[in-house]
């Protein structure tokens, strides 16, 4: 069933110029209109000439046959477009970066500036009309605004046009006329100048979701939270509105993806009867074989001209006589058989295949070589001249030659000289070609045959005469074998049908190497001693009238042309006075089987009838490589008998039935007959798919022919041969209609009244979309009729289908003229979509425009279709404009998920118990049970542990900091740390005048000062907050975050180093924040000498030890309170899991500002006494090998890193493993290498890291991940003992429905999930339903809840809705164990009991993290995790370096980083759209292509998708290209 798609229009604007003008134009059409009454309720479109009334007027004048046929189609298309003007909608034009707009100079896009600003536009729309005032004035207003308004051409106009000019007023109009206000999601960050978005990689600003509205933030957004100045959000809003229009099909969802329409037309006629051609009358003087004919004419009329060739000026170059042809062919035959190889071992024997490689301008040399082969009884395989080693399709030709066993190629002297040569002058082997001996056939290079040598001339038999190559739809090349008897019979049948007589003159414009050109111009002509005037393609390019001039000059009786030759003659024809075509008795139209040839035939007749051309002379024929000539219209002397015509309904054709239609209908196909069946042949029509069953009389099918004169086989392919050349059509009773096999012609059509054959298309051009058949040629014709000749070159347009999501999708690719502007291309694309929709009732999935002359060509200049499709699919077409319409075309998505009413948690639990499933819960070892000699346990506070260590082991080194060279920068012993901390405590009390409990912000680079300052705060009784310092190169975006954390955490003072303290108050800083409002800033570079009177000891271990501030990936800034109890429990848990003792060294390459990274950097060493080797991750940007070299040099057993560090090593050291090995890098001592993360484990990265460094001794089992979150900074961590991490494969489709279904590795839609490490001692986990809060069973997906002594004790402060956060730290199950207090992690995951046993001998429970609830996207009722879509997208093209997705309203936005030239940007749009459709059943709404490094990433290596979203909506990404899919 077909549903009328929304007609969609998108074009590309230049990112900065002419924005005001475009915006008013774009928004013009979606300003609301007055309510329409039912009788006028058709949607609106802008007028497109010619109007329908004019169309009807033209239609009524004159009779049909005097009119140029394609005019009718053009008019039909134009009328369809005019009808559509009612339904016009605004569609956002894609945005292009300027550098991509290379077609013409910028002036073509933006008219010169008419005014300095946009002030005077203000007077144009006095009083914005409301909807009740009628849409006329509204449209009038908009059009005036467009036509008279200025176009601000300042480059900044796009971003700064906040409220000025047309765009500002449009916003007012929009607000007043109230376009249905689709409210945006509430969490748009309102960016102000105070907090610009951050899209720099090195450091990410951590702006919370909704910033306090400084200054004029309220003025910046519209009612639905979209910043007014943002062009992007206006476009997206527009796209949403367009997609919400009622004319969008509500897709009919089915479970099996496609169901046929019950109301479709069905064939009703009787079963057809096979049609027999007239008998082949064997004339007495017909030769017994073609060689015998050559011998006859060569000996009795040696002076008779056989072939005249032309040079590019149209002067006769050379006349080949029958005598010369005969003598030279003998010479060639002799040399092939006797002069190649040795006498004992000739290279070529009779029956062998040889290639004929001759250029299109040398038919004489080709003819001599061809007949030489026939005389020598070798099989010629004519092919195209390979111009370069990588010619389009040339590789496939090579495969054909290889499979035919060709070892010798015959060629001409000139061609041989022109072939590409290697350095030593030899011809290189072309890609995919066998090794060939090149043999030049010019007489002067050949030896004379001895007097007694004579070719053996036999009667025609069943030996192969020649092989004609044929290119299939998929680009593969097949060789069709034609036997000598078929060759002769075909020549006889053509002679009889065309009434050829001796010495007739025939003008041939066609390719003489194959098809109609070969059959008429090389073979049948010799049988009848005719004279062929051959017009090379190169001459036609220079002078399209050349063939007509030759017909006049030679008074030719016959001409063989294609409809394009007629078309170009019409275009070039300018009242040539001396043209007289009365000599022509037959004009063979070789591509008469293309239904659209009729327009060229009619137009040609229209113009040249006055020049003596008689209507009955035009003879279309239908042919195919397999069946040779299928049918040809006979030249009649009776001009009264009009040719057959059928006006067929396109709708009927798409269902495979013939419905004759009145020509008033727009969507019709007019077909002309291609004459009757060939003499001696039998023709029938069979169903194109499945069993070859006869069609009914009103049904379209594939024409099949039974005749001696057809091909015999595909060389070397017996299976395909059987299906094509040995077909036995069956009647409805199942009985074959003939004992002889038929050949499938590859042509679709029917047999009309009077036995006339009609062809409606080719099997190769067939595209079956949602069960309906469309022909590529028809769609090309409609596209060309939109604006014939103006915008795209005729003949430079390709239409094919690609399979996406279980159905074929139509793709149109065209070359645009170099002078066309972006506006033109936009206009054209939108109209093509409308036209194809109206006339064919089918949506175009993708429309791509490429620069002129960039599509792969066939040797005769057409488009190489399969190569074009290949380039499209592999993303190397490089279009300059792309428009995808997946929303319109894809109507077979599976049903959206309907949320079922929730089953109560109690029933779930009972159900689990009944079915024997255990409740999903697990815990680490019990801290109370573990006996160890942990001295630190007796202290409640870390500050006391440090004092104890300073007394008992004063010189034990706790911390060592490395420089980027790997040298030790500084180190701290227990005593040194204690002394520094004391001095800092003094400073806080004396200079800072701080009370105990005050908050202190520590703004330090990663290092030892940070640690000392932290303990200094504990000694002074203050609460430290570690804050990442601002990036000196990027103050504007990083400093506001620092300021914000300082303010939000209510810090009484800031402690920092001298350098940073200067930075905080610098001139650059004052541009970003108000520097006067900093709290006191203390720099710790000059410390007081004395120690404090006494060290502070907290009264209660549950008081605050420190605040852990971080920004979540969704942009939430939250500070978590960590009590002294939790801090000590945390350190103990890690000490036990990793078995840390004072004798150990641990290498840490993490950011020390929050989470587990901070705990490992600052706290664990003091608690466990081990030495921490500190490696700041930023140093790896200078020296990527720093971390691994340190691990090797210090012989470290345990090391911790982040994903960004691991990625840096994998990318940066990938090719250096050998040199690292030679430098002594050895990782064999590493026992655990833990990635500290708050996300699903990145299996691909950890595996590639393990594989890469395996050669350097890294044990694959050493690499593992940890898992922590805001409420609990570390829940799992691999540790030293216990089983290895396990991996399971789950079905991604089930996961979207919140279900876990385990599948085998490698099964479709499988997703690998790795366990996130072992559960830490003292941690209990349960899986709960996030909605009902009921416990879930084993292997069920739910939210991970955690109960543990080191949980945070709550948020210190949260921006956003506090009520929502209140249960994060103290939730209770709604059923079962309702007493325990759990913290909700906000992550989905599941527990699974494995077969492994853990250290205590129990069965091991593995925790699998799937993803954060905050990040998950609800689309079509299902839950998607961004990372899964991103993984699919990154796989689609080698140039996609990184990808991030986010939803906006209900659209999916995909941002990809492009590595490579900007010209590749548009290649990515179809690939990304296809991949997401295919793998996730989602339609991508917007594809944004950006530079590398635009997707913001935080210190943990996580993508900041919400920052990205806000930056996109605020127009701050400077994208290379933005495509809005329709």
């Amino acid at each position: 069933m077909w549903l009328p798609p929304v007609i969609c229009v998108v074009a590309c604007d230049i990112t900065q110029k002419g924005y005001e003008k475009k915006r008013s134009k774009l928004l013009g059409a979606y300003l609301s209109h007055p309510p329409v009454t039912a009788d006028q309720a058709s949607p609106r479109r802008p007028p497109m000439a010619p109007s329908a009334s004019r169309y009807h007027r033209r239609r009524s004048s004159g009779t049909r046959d005097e009119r140029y046929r394609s005019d009718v189609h053009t008019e039909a298309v134009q009328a369809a477009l005019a009808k559509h003007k009612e339904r016009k909608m605004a569609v956002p034009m894609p945005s292009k970066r300027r550098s991509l707009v290379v077609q013409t100079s910028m002036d073509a896009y933006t008219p010169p500036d008419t005014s300095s600003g946009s002030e005077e536009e203000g007077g144009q729309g006095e009083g914005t009309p409301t909807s009740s005032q009628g849409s006329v004035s509204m449209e009038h207003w908009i059009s005036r605004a467009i036509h008279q308004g200025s176009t601000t051409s300042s480059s900044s106009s796009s971003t700064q046009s906040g409220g000025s000019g047309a765009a500002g007023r449009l916003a007012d109009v929009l607000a007043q006329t109230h376009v249905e206000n689709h409210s945006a999601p509430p969490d748009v960050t309102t960016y102000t100048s105070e907090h610009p978005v951050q899209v720099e990689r090195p450091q990410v600003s951590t702006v919370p979701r909704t910033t306090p509205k400084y200054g004029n933030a309220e003025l910046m957004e519209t009612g639905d939270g979209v910043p007014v100045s943002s062009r992007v959000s206006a476009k997206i809003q527009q796209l949403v509105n367009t997609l919400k229009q009622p004319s969008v099909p509500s897709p009919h969802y089915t479970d099996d993806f496609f169901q046929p329409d019950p109301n479709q037309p069905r064939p009703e006629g009787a079963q057809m009867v096979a049609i027999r051609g007239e008998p082949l009358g064997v004339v007495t003087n017909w030769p017994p074989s073609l060689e015998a004919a050559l011998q006859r004419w060569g000996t009795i009329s040696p002076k008779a001209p056989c072939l005249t060739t032309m040079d590019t000026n149209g002067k006769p170059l050379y006349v080949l006589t029958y005598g010369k042809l005969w003598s030279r062919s003998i010479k060639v035959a002799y040399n092939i058989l006797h002069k190649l190889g040795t006498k004992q071992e000739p290279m070529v024997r009779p029956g062998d295949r040889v290639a004929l490689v001759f250029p299109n301008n040398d038919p004489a040399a080709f003819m001599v070589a061809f007949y030489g082969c026939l005389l020598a009884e070798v099989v010629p395989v004519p092919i195209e001249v390979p111009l370069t080693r990588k010619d389009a399709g040339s590789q496939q030709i090579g495969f054909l030659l290889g499979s035919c066993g060709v070892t010798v190629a015959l060629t001409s002297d000139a061609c041989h000289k022109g072939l590409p040569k290697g350095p030593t002058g030899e011809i290189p082997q072309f890609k995919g070609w066998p090794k060939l001996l090149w043999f030049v056939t010019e007489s002067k290079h050949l030896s004379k045959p001895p007097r007694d040598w004579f070719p053996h001339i036999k009667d025609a038999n069943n030996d192969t005469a020649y092989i004609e190559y044929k290119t299939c739809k998929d680009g593969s090349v097949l060789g069709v074998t034609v036997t000598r008897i078929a060759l002769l019979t075909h020549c006889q049948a053509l002679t009889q049908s065309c009434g050829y007589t001796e010495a007739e003159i025939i003008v041939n414009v066609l390719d003489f190497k194959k098809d109609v050109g070969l059959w008429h111009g090389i073979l049948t002509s010799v049988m009848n001693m005719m004279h062929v005037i051959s017009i090379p393609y190169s001459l036609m390019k220079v002078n399209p009238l050349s063939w007509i001039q030759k017909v006049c000059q030679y008074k030719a009786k016959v001409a063989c042309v294609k409809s394009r030759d007629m078309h170009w003659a019409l275009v070039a024809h300018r009242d040539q006075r001396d043209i007289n075509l009365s000599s022509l008795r037959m004009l063979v139209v070789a591509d008469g089987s293309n239904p659209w040839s009729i327009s060229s035939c009619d137009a040609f007749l229209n113009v040249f009838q006055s020049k003596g051309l008689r209507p009955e002379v035009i003879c279309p024929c239908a042919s195919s490589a397999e069946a040779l000539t299928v049918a040809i219209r006979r030249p009649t002397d009776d001009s009264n008998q009009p040719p057959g015509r059928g006006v067929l309904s396109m709708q009927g054709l798409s269902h495979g039935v013939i419905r004759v239609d009145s020509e008033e209908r727009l969507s019709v196909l007019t077909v002309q007959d291609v004459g009757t069946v060939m003499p001696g042949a039998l023709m029938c029509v069979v169903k194109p798919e499945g069993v070859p069953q006869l069609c009914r009389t009103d049904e379209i099918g594939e024409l099949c022919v039974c005749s001696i004169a057809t091909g015999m086989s595909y060389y070397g392919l017996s299976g395909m041969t059987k299906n094509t050349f040995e077909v036995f059509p069956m009647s409805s009773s199942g009985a074959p209609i003939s004992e002889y096999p038929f050949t499938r012609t590859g042509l679709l059509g029917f047999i009309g009244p009077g036995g006339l054959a009609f062809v409606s298309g080719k099997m190769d051009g067939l595209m079956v979309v949602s069960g309906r058949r469309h022909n590529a040629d028809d769609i090309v014709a409609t596209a060309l009729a939109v604006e014939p000749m103006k915008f795209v070159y005729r003949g430079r347009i390709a239409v094919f289908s690609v399979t996406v999501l279980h159905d074929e999708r139509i793709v149109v690719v065209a070359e645009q003229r170099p002078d066309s502007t972006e506006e033109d291309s936009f206009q054209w694309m939108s109209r093509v979509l409308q036209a194809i929709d109206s006339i064919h009732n089918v949506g175009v999935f993708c429309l791509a425009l490429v620069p002129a002359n960039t599509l792969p060509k066939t040797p005769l200049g057409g488009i190489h279709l399969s190569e074009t499709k290949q380039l499209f699919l592999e993303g190397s077409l490089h279009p300059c404009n792309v428009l995808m319409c997946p929303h319109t075309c894809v109507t077979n998505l599976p049903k959206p998920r309907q949320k079922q009413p929730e089953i109560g948690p109690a029933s779930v639990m009972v159900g689990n118990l009944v079915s024997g499933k255990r409740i999903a819960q697990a815990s680490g070892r019990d801290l109370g049970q573990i006996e160890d000699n942990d001295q630190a346990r007796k202290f409640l506070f870390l500050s006391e542990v440090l004092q104890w260590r300073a007394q008992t082991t004063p010189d034990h080194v706790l911390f060592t900091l490395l420089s980027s060279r790997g040298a030790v920068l500084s180190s701290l012993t227990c005593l040194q740390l204690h002394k520094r901390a004391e001095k800092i405590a003094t400073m806080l009390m004396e200079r800072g005048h701080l009370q105990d409990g005050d908050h202190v912000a520590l703004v330090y680079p990663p290092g030892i000062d940070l640690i000392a300052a932290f303990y200094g705060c504990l000694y002074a009784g203050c609460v430290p907050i570690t804050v990442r310092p601002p990036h000196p190169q990027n103050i504007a975006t990083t400093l506001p975050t620092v300021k914000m954390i300082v303010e939000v955490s209510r810090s009484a003072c800031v402690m920092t180093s001298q350098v940073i303290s200067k930075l905080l108050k610098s001139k650059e800083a004052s541009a970003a924040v108000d520097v006067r409002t900093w709290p006191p800033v203390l720099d710790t570079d000059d410390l007081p000498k004395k120690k404090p009177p006494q060290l502070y000891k907290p009264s209660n271990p549950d008081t605050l030890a420190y605040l852990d501030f971080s920004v979540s990936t969704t942009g939430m800034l939250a500070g978590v309170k960590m009590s002294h109890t939790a801090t000590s429990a945390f350190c103990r848990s890690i000490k036990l899991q990793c078995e840390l003792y004072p004798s150990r060294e641990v290498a840490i390459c993490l950011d020390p500002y929050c989470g587990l990274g901070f705990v490992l950097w600052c706290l664990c060493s003091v608690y466990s006494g081990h030495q921490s080797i500190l490696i700041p991750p930023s140093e790896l940007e200078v020296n990527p090998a720093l971390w691994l070299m340190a691990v090797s040099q210090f012989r470290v057993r345990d090391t911790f890193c982040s994903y960004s560090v691991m990625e840096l090593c994998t990318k940066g050291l990938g090719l250096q493993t050998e040199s690292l090995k030679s430098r002594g890098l050895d990782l064999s001592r590493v026992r655990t290498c833990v990635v500290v993360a708050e996300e699903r484990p990145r299996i691909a990265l950890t595996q590639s890291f393990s594989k890469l460094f395996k050669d350097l001794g890294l044990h694959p089992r050493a690499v593992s991940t940890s898992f922590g979150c805001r409420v609990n900074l570390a829940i799992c961590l691999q540790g030293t003992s216990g089983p290895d991490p396990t991996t399971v494969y789950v079905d991604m489709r089930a996961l979207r429905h919140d279900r876990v279904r385990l599948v085998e590795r490698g099964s479709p839609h499988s997703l690998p999930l790795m366990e996130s490490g072992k559960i830490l001692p003292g941690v209990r986990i349960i899986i709960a339903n996030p909605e009902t809060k009921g416990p879930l069973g084993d292997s069920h997906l739910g939210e991970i809840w955690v109960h543990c002594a080191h949980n945070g004790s709550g948020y210190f402060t949260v921006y956003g809705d506090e009520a929502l956060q209140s249960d994060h730290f103290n939730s209770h199950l709604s059923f079962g164990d309702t007493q325990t207090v759990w913290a909700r992690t906000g992550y989905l995951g599941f527990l699974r009991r494995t077969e492994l046993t853990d250290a205590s001998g129990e069965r091991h429970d593995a925790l699998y993290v799937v993803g954060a609830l905050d990040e998950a996207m609800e689309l079509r009722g299902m839950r998607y995790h961004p990372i899964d879509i991103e993984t699919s997208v990154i796989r689609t093209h080698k140039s996609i370096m990184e990808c991030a997705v986010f939803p906006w309203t209900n659209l999916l936005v995909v941002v990809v980083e492009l590595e490579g030239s900007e010209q590749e940007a548009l290649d990515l749009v179809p690939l990304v759209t296809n991949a997401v459709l295919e793998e996730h059943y989602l339609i991508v709404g917007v594809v944004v292509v950006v530079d590398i490094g635009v997707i913001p990433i935080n210190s943990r290596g996580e993508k900041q998708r919400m920052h990205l979203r806000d930056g996109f909506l605020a127009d701050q990404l400077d994208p290379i290209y933005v495509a809005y899919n329709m």
Side-chain angles (χ1 to χ4, degrees), residues 628-782:
L628 310 185
T629 306
V630 176
I632 187 165
R633 199 187 287 172
R634 314 294 194 265
T636 55
D637 296 330
D638 174 17
S639 57
N640 300 327
Q641 185 203 344
R645 297 236 153 154
V647 181
L648 309 180
S649 144
M650 289 265 192
Q651 178 74 8
L653 284 175
S654 73
H655 292 290
V657 298
I658 300 157
R659 292 287 177 267
V660 175
D661 214 313
S662 73
E663 286 204 30
E664 287 303 325
R665 279 284 309 280
L666 296 177
S667 49
V668 293
L669 175 68
T670 304
V671 288
Q672 60 181 348
D673 71 281
V674 286
T676 48
V677 185
M678 294 298 286
L682 187 62
M683 185 193 284
C684 68
V685 185
V686 302
K687 305 218 157 148
E689 290 94 23
V691 185
Q693 199 178 355
L694 283 184
C695 287
R696 294 169 181 262
T697 48
D698 63 342
E699 196 175 358
I700 298 277
E702 184 174 7
L703 304 183
C704 289
V705 174
C706 175
S707 158
I708 297 171
T710 62
M712 263 301 285
S713 69
Y714 292 128
Y715 189 91
L717 300 167
S718 49
M720 287 180 74
T721 294
K722 205 169 183 56
N723 292 339
T724 305
F725 296 93
E726 297 163 29
V727 177
F728 291 91
M730 296 185 326
S731 62
S732 50
S733 63
I737 61 167
S738 158
E739 55 185 308
Y740 297 109
F742 280 68
T743 298
R744 287 182 181 268
T745 62
L747 301 175
L748 291 167
F750 59 97
I751 296 173
L756 293 176
F758 288 86
V759 177
S760 63
K762 294 189 178 64
M763 286 293 286
D764 272 358
L766 198 61
M767 303 181 290
V768 182
V769 181
S770 308
R772 288 174 58 233
R773 302 192 283 195
H774 301 279
N775 224 290
D777 286 333
D778 301 350
I779 293 192
V780 168
T782 301

Side-chain angles (χ1 to χ4, degrees), residues 126-176:
E126 304 301 342
T128 46
T130 53
S131 52
S132 60
Q133 279 174 265
S135 59
V136 184
S137 57
M138 174 66 81
E139 287 180 345
H140 169 69
W141 177 80
I142 288 291
S143 65
R144 277 180 52 189
I146 291 166
H147 296 305
Q148 302 168 16
S150 76
T151 52
T152 323
S153 60
S154 71
S155 60
S156 61
S157 63
S158 60
T159 44
Q160 291 169 2
S161 60
S164 71
R169 273 200 324 286
L170 265 170
D172 303 343
V173 175
L174 282 178
Q176 287 189 21

Side-chain angles (χ1 to χ4, degrees), residues 795-974:
R796 306 300 300 153
I797 185 165
V799 171
F800 51 86
S801 65
V802 294
T803 304
V804 182
L805 199 67
H806 314 286
D807 199 359
E808 289 186 43
R809 314 284 176 193
I810 295 177
V811 179
V812 179
V813 180
E815 288 185 357
Q816 65 179 35
R817 291 177 176 263
D819 52 355
S820 47
T821 63
E822 295 280 304
E823 277 303 306
D824 294 344
S825 57
F826 170 59
Q827 200 62 38
W828 185 80
M829 287 163 101
S830 55
R831 296 181 68 179
V832 165
L833 291 171
Q834 291 170 3
I836 292 173
D837 163 44
S838 304
I839 290 191
H840 304 277
N841 281 355
V842 69
V844 175
F845 182 66
C846 177
L847 186 50
L849 291 173
V850 297
N853 283 320
T854 54
L855 289 180
K857 292 186 174 68
T858 58
L860 282 179
I863 286 183
H864 199 294
L865 201 64
S866 57
E867 263 322 277
T868 303
K869 177 172 173 175
Q870 195 49 45
L871 291 175
F872 174 80
L873 288 174
E874 64 193 29
S876 32
L877 193 61
H878 306 330
C880 46
N881 273 313
V882 163
L883 174 50
M884 301 282 301
C885 305
H887 289 98
T888 314
C889 295
V890 180
T891 50
N892 65 336
L893 284 170
K895 290 192 179 90
R897 173 185 176 199
Q898 301 297 320
K899 283 269 168 69
Q900 300 306 322
E902 286 289 355
I903 303 159
S907 357
V908 171
M909 191 158 173
V910 171
N912 279 329
L913 295 172
V914 170
S915 65
K917 274 222 181 99
R918 47 177 232 103
I919 292 295
Q921 52 186 345
S923 51
R925 290 177 291 166
D926 186 342
L927 281 172
Q929 306 294 309
I930 305 172
E931 280 307 313
D932 61 346
N933 54 356
D934 187 351
Q935 294 296 310
R937 267 179 79 185
K938 57 182 189 269
F939 300 106
L940 288 174
F941 306 104
L942 263 179
S943 50
E944 295 180 318
V945 178
L946 177 57
Q947 292 163 44
W948 165 69
R949 288 203 186 280
Q951 281 158 10
T952 53
T953 55
D955 298 332
H956 175 65
V957 177
L958 285 179
F959 298 100
T960 305
L961 178 71
L962 300 187
S963 71
S964 61
R965 293 263 174 83
V968 174
L969 259 184
S970 51
S971 59
L972 275 182
T973 61
C974 301

